[in-house]
Amino acid sequence: MFNPQAGYPFRSDNKPRNELFEFAKAWLGTTLAFALVYRGLGLLNAVIIMGIAAGLGIVIHELAHRVVARRFGSQAHFFANDAMLVISVLLALTGFIFAAPGAVHHRGYLTKKQVGLVAAAGPASNMVLALLSLIIIQIAKILNIEFLFVIAFYSYVVNSLLGIFNMIPYGPLDGAKIMDWDMRAFIAMASVGGLLYVVQYLPIAKNLIVFGF
């Protein structure tokens, strides 16, 4: 998520937060939330798999926002939303997932186009990860490496979900900022994200995501 409003959140002592620690909290909280939802895999397996599939997907999403914002000359940093991380873990206990681990905040002027491009970088990174995961699934099948297949499969499921979810044009989600910048870009990204997400439900593509031959 990208917050185009200027300014950084600070600690209660008015000192800036440690960004590495902020990313670690987002990774850990997201991993735990998704692991609880998929605890049917076995909690330890779920933590390992979701640490790569979900935790890493969220971190790369936020890093993409930050990298593009900085490329435009903005001072951009990620800050975790502690309250939402706790809520996401609690909701996960009921089987419901809601990933809102934090946002990239910035200082500096950005045009509407630049805001749109910074916002687009996040879901685009998840779509790329989902596509790469589909490729790794096929490699895992050829090499007959089941655990790699499982990780790649859930990476595809989670990242395709993150990609299309963040394209919802509402509130603080990235889709609203992309739509505000360029409707054509929004339609193109939403179409790609939607296609990547529904592939898992298409009979014609079923063999793509089933282990073995």
Side-chain angles (χ1 to χ4, degrees):
M1 191 179 299
F2 172 60
N3 184 354
Q5 303 302 319
Y8 294 152
F10 286 86
R11 301 186 320 196
S12 58
D13 58 7
N14 206 36
K15 292 182 180 179
R17 303 183 198 175
N18 182 303
E19 192 176 22
L20 183 60
F21 182 56
E22 297 299 303
F23 273 118
K25 287 191 295 183
W27 177 83
L28 182 60
T30 301
T31 296
L32 182 56
F34 274 88
L36 287 171
V37 170
Y38 289 99
R39 56 187 178 272
L41 296 168
L43 190 57
L44 180 58
N45 284 337
V47 168
I48 295 172
I49 293 167
M50 293 304 151
I52 299 171
L56 194 58
I58 285 289
V59 169
I60 291 175
H61 176 109
E62 300 299 343
L63 276 173
H65 285 316
R66 193 188 72 163
V67 167
V68 176
R70 288 186 175 185
R71 186 175 181 84
F72 291 137
S74 178
Q75 298 179 46
H77 292 272
F78 172 76
F79 297 97
N81 187 325
D82 297 344
M84 289 307 302
L85 284 170
V86 172
I87 290 172
S88 68
V89 171
L90 294 176
L91 284 174
L93 292 170
T94 69
F96 180 78
I97 191 67
F98 180 75
V104 170
H105 297 253
H106 84 101
R107 282 175 175 162
Y109 174 75
L110 293 175
T111 66
K112 181 182 289 190
K113 179 180 180 179
Q114 289 171 336
V115 169
L117 289 171
V118 173
S125 71
N126 293 121
M127 293 176 197
V128 171
L129 286 173
L131 182 58
L132 288 175
S133 297
L134 283 176
I135 295 172
I136 295 173
I137 284 172
Q138 304 313 306
I139 294 174
K141 290 169 65 175
I142 292 171
L143 299 178
N144 198 33
I145 305 175
E146 187 171 4
F147 194 65
L148 177 60
F149 171 87
V150 172
I151 291 175
F153 171 75
Y154 282 103
S155 177
Y156 156 69
V157 171
V158 170
N159 280 288
S160 63
L161 174 62
L162 291 174
I164 193 61
F165 174 77
N166 279 281
M167 287 304 299
I168 296 173
Y170 179 78
L173 294 174
D174 298 319
K177 304 173 190 71
I178 299 169
M179 178 181 284
D180 185 53
W181 157 51
D182 191 323
M183 179 61 75
R184 293 168 300 177
F186 171 80
I187 292 173
M189 287 190 66
S191 298
V192 171
L195 179 61
L196 281 170
Y197 181 72
V198 301
V199 160
Q200 60 193 300
Y201 301 109
L202 299 178
I204 194 173
K206 195 170 183 179
N207 288 335
L208 288 174
I209 54 177
V210 176
F211 186 69
F213 298 92

